[in-house]
Amino acid sequence: MQKLVTPQDLAGLDVLVTAGPTREPLDPVRYLSNRSSGKMGYALAKAAALRGARVTLISGPTALVSPPGVEIIQVQTAEQMFQEVIKRAEKTQIIIKAAAVADYRPLDAKEQKIKKQGQEMNIEFTQNRDILAELGRQKGAHQLLVGFAAETNDLVQNAIGKLKRKNVDLLVANDVTQPGAGFDYDTNIVRIFDQNGELTSLPRLDKQQVAWEILNIVVKMFNPLRG
Ligand code: CTP
Ligand code: CA
């Protein structure tokens, strides 16, 4: 029913969304992860599907159910997410990277459970590949790339830095220290940047509404790229 009253302004387009955290194993029973419920990414996938897109959602572990009409691919680690995203990137017009990807993974994940030993413990980490930066390097002329940034300080400077460094078209930033923004909340407070600076600053909204507003901007930016 909702489809009948929803603008089909993403019809015919392939949209890829990433969501949730990644998990980087330390041993068979432990992992390093990020605080992320996946709600923002799932809301974006749902909204894009309602607006007529063919949506693929590449998701880290969350407690959420897959939105209707969305192809979902479950992953655990940043490296698995990298592989699943990159192999689909070329045929996708709009890529939205809402996932909280772990920046590092344990250098040496143990095959057996690590036993408790001594008072202190050191673990060596190695950096994961940056999926968004790789997408920015490969970006085609008819492709739109949307990144996210969850910040605790210097939001504008950090957001613009990431946007430029990773060659993304839109960057959605939120200050996770604000009540009602990010992590487990059902709401978010975001500021959206493009290559020219800040486009808009949204009030606290339900994540489904935030998704809708982001897609309004995406549609406006993507139309001239359609060729
Ligand atoms: N991202 C990614 N691959 C990574 C790390 C981050 O694709 N290995 C993406 C996230 O999905 C997000 C954007 O990059 O869309 C920004 O993530 P963020 O953690 O805010 O930025 P970083 O570049 O990792 O910088 P830092 O964590 O040092 O602030
Ligand atoms: Ca990071």
Side-chain angles (χ1 to χ4, degrees):
M1 188 62 202
Q2 195 166 3
K3 255 204 161 123
L4 295 175
V5 294
T6 304
Q8 296 297 290
D9 49 9
L10 290 171
L13 297 177
D14 286 290
V15 174
L16 189 151
V17 180
T18 70
T22 66
R23 281 182 185 169
E24 311 300 327
L26 278 156
D27 70 14
V29 298
R30 304 181 180 100
Y31 55 79
L32 172 82
S33 193
N34 288 58
R35 282 184 66 186
S36 167
S37 66
K39 285 175 186 165
M40 195 61 246
Y42 277 59
L44 280 156
K46 181 179 173 188
L50 277 170
R51 290 166 80 146
R54 281 182 299 271
V55 182
T56 306
L57 174 62
I58 299 179
S59 176
T62 73
L64 305 173
V65 290
S66 176
V70 167
E71 185 193 357
I72 187 158
I73 291 153
Q74 304 277 0
V75 298
Q76 295 277 324
T77 66
E79 187 55 31
Q80 287 166 358
M81 187 174 277
F82 185 98
Q83 303 285 349
E84 296 296 340
V85 171
I86 297 300
K87 75 180 180 206
R88 291 173 178 80
E90 214 185 324
K91 71 159 202 66
T92 306
Q93 290 86 35
I94 297 166
I95 305 180
I96 307 178
K97 284 244 52 214
V101 183
D103 291 327
Y104 292 89
R105 65 177 180 276
L107 185 58
D108 178 24
K110 304 289 186 212
E111 276 173 31
Q112 292 182 331
K113 186 180 167 195
I114 301 165
K115 298 307 283 181
K116 183 164 60 192
Q117 46 189 292
Q119 279 303 318
E120 280 163 24
M121 180 176 180
N122 292 300
I123 298 164
E124 262 191 286
F125 291 95
T126 185
Q127 206 174 107
N128 282 324
R129 293 191 280 182
D130 192 309
I131 309 165
L132 187 59
E134 181 57 30
L135 291 168
R137 278 190 285 274
Q138 300 186 359
K139 190 168 65 165
H142 301 282
Q143 207 170 43
L144 193 93
L145 197 52
V146 183
F148 273 73
E151 304 292 347
T152 57
N153 54 281
D154 304 318
L155 182 139
V156 175
Q157 200 186 327
N158 285 330
I160 291 174
K162 283 172 193 177
L163 180 110
K164 302 255 182 223
R165 210 165 45 242
K166 303 192 191 194
N167 190 28
V168 310
D169 302 291
L170 271 182
L171 192 112
V172 181
N174 62 343
D175 173 354
V176 292
T177 64
Q178 278 184 291
F183 297 143
D184 290 328
Y185 291 108
D186 286 327
T187 56
N188 210 351
I189 306 167
V190 304
R191 296 171 70 172
I192 305 179
F193 300 82
D194 73 1
Q195 289 284 344
N196 299 316
E198 184 159 6
L199 273 181
T200 184
S201 173
L202 297 176
R204 187 164 73 90
L205 294 173
D206 189 88
K207 283 182 177 169
Q208 204 58 59
Q209 284 174 285
V210 177
W212 208 258
E213 295 293 335
I214 293 170
L215 292 183
N216 287 344
I217 298 174
V218 163
V219 166
K220 254 194 238 153
M221 280 183 83
F222 187 74
N223 277 336
L225 299 180
R226 277 188 194 239

